[in-house]
Amino acid sequence: MAVYRPRGTLARVIHAKFHNDYSLDNIDTRKWYSLAHDLPHRFQSKFVPLEPDATTVSWLERAKALSANIWTHLWHALARSILQFFMTQTDINGFLKRGSMFILSEAQFHKLLVAGGFLPGAEPITLLDIGAGDGEISMRVANSVTELSGSTGLQVFATEASWTMRERLKKLNFHVITEIDGLQNLDLILCLNVLDRCFDSFKLLEEIHGSLAPNGRAVVALVLPYMHYVETNTSHLPLRPLLENANSGRPDSFEEEAARFMDLLESCGFRVESWTKAPYLCEGDLHQSFYWLIDLIVVISKKTF
């Protein structure tokens, strides 16, 4: 039987997208959350098992629906081809209001925070999201914290390098700031998929440690396998790598890199309280409905000596 080969560039793109999306429909999404083997006991005992819940499935269905609008994607492709000469990819996404991300649902964040010992008191909660993007993930965490804290109040601060994203954060009534040095005794700090995108990851970890309240918690997410990329400098390289390959060229497994990263966090003065594995999802484009990487998400506190 002859294989159908569409003629024309647009026809070929649509045909390829149909097949890509068909493959996505057959993915076992439970594997996004599962481990191949246990980590050392001191870390494995803090693991919080998750699975795709109703909110996650709803986000994926919404991404598929948005991706079906071919004309919107054609407009985005045309706009990107022009804007790329004077804007970063993140600025373009913010300008076009595309490329929203998803890590955990409100219920999943709630479960991870509770397992990590985040127990709000009677005072208003202060939350900082470092590199907050469009604020969609920040809002999910804020909703989880509000549910945990009741009516005590919540104040959200955010940093973001992209000027278009900062404008979107202001519309969410976040307090957008440029530096975190002036903030002290924060109850909750988010640093989600930023450490592998900033120039000096170790300085950022020091700033998180200095700004966190003694009984506060930070939530740090890192894409594994680890691959550093700095969008804002010409070399796209960090001052120094966050993780070094320990296997003489053999790729590390998720479990190996996860253990090494949590070891690093402990060496920086933090204690691992809970952690999980989950997909880092992004809305799709002309080629497929959504994309994903695999995240390690860790709830940490300050060590007490």
Side-chain angles (χ1 to χ4, degrees):
M1 180 182 294
V3 177
Y4 171 67
R5 298 184 183 279
R7 298 179 180 181
T9 302
L10 180 58
R12 287 195 297 271
V13 169
I14 294 173
H15 184 258
K17 183 179 185 302
F18 173 82
H19 284 280
N20 290 340
D21 285 348
Y22 178 79
S23 297
L24 293 179
D25 287 338
N26 292 289
I27 289 173
D28 183 358
T29 56
R30 294 171 299 178
K31 292 183 177 179
W32 289 341
Y33 303 84
S34 63
L35 300 175
H37 59 79
D38 287 355
L39 275 66
H41 177 72
R42 75 181 193 280
F43 295 141
Q44 189 63 36
S45 62
K46 305 294 180 63
F47 178 65
V48 178
L50 299 174
E51 59 183 20
D53 62 5
T55 303
T56 307
V57 173
S58 176
W59 189 94
L60 291 171
E61 292 302 321
R62 176 178 173 273
K64 291 175 185 177
L66 290 173
S67 182
N69 191 330
I70 301 298
W71 299 112
T72 296
H73 290 305
L74 288 173
W75 152 241
H76 286 169
L78 174 63
R80 286 200 305 273
S81 68
I82 299 170
L83 296 174
Q84 66 181 336
F85 293 106
F86 50 90
M87 294 173 69
T88 67
Q89 185 59 54
T90 305
D91 286 338
I92 293 171
N93 286 343
F95 179 75
L96 296 176
K97 297 183 179 179
R98 64 172 300 277
S100 285
M101 306 292 195
F102 181 97
I103 303 175
L104 300 176
S105 68
E106 287 88 341
Q108 290 170 331
F109 271 119
H110 183 283
K111 184 175 182 179
L112 187 65
L113 287 170
V114 169
F118 180 70
L119 300 170
E123 298 297 320
I125 303 298
T126 51
L127 185 158
L128 166 66
D129 192 353
I130 300 170
D134 63 4
E136 183 172 318
I137 296 175
S138 317
M139 286 300 300
R140 292 190 186 280
V141 179
N143 291 338
S144 298
V145 171
T146 299
E147 183 179 345
L148 280 168
S149 61
S151 59
T152 58
L154 174 65
Q155 188 173 28
V156 181
F157 297 90
T159 70
E160 174 53 51
S162 167
W163 67 271
T164 58
M165 294 296 189
R166 288 197 296 270
E167 293 305 310
R168 295 181 68 176
L169 291 170
K170 290 174 184 177
K171 292 178 181 179
L172 295 173
N173 294 320
F174 290 179
H175 300 279
V176 180
I177 59 177
T178 56
E179 301 289 339
I180 68 174
D181 291 344
L183 297 177
Q184 299 292 323
N185 292 317
L186 294 168
D187 299 295
L188 185 62
I189 299 177
L190 308 178
C191 182
L192 306 176
N193 302 301
V194 175
L195 288 173
D196 58 353
R197 292 295 177 264
C198 67
F199 179 65
D200 191 346
S201 308
F202 292 92
K203 181 175 183 248
L204 180 54
L205 285 171
E206 289 177 5
E207 291 176 344
I208 291 172
H209 193 279
S211 299
L212 194 62
N215 295 320
R217 296 291 186 270
V219 184
V220 179
L222 181 70
V223 168
L224 298 179
Y226 165 71
M227 186 176 294
H228 215 117
Y229 180 85
V230 182
E231 189 177 43
T232 53
N233 66 19
T234 54
S235 71
H236 303 304
L237 296 174
L239 181 63
R240 57 174 167 148
L242 188 64
L243 296 176
E244 299 282 359
N245 186 283
N247 289 316
S248 302
R250 177 179 68 80
D252 294 327
S253 67
F254 175 90
E255 291 76 14
E256 288 171 328
E257 282 196 307
R260 285 170 48 219
F261 180 61
M262 287 189 277
D263 273 330
L264 182 145
L265 290 173
E266 290 189 336
S267 72
C268 291
F270 296 103
R271 177 188 293 106
V272 173
E273 301 289 353
S274 65
W275 66 278
T276 195
K277 178 186 176 187
Y280 182 30
L281 297 161
C282 176
E283 289 176 350
D285 52 21
L286 264 175
H287 302 288
Q288 63 187 56
S289 294
F290 61 87
Y291 296 89
W292 77 94
L293 299 167
I294 297 299
D295 252 349
L296 167 68
I297 307 114
V298 190
V299 177
I300 52 178
S301 64
K302 282 184 176 182
K303 281 184 179 178
T304 54
F305 299 98

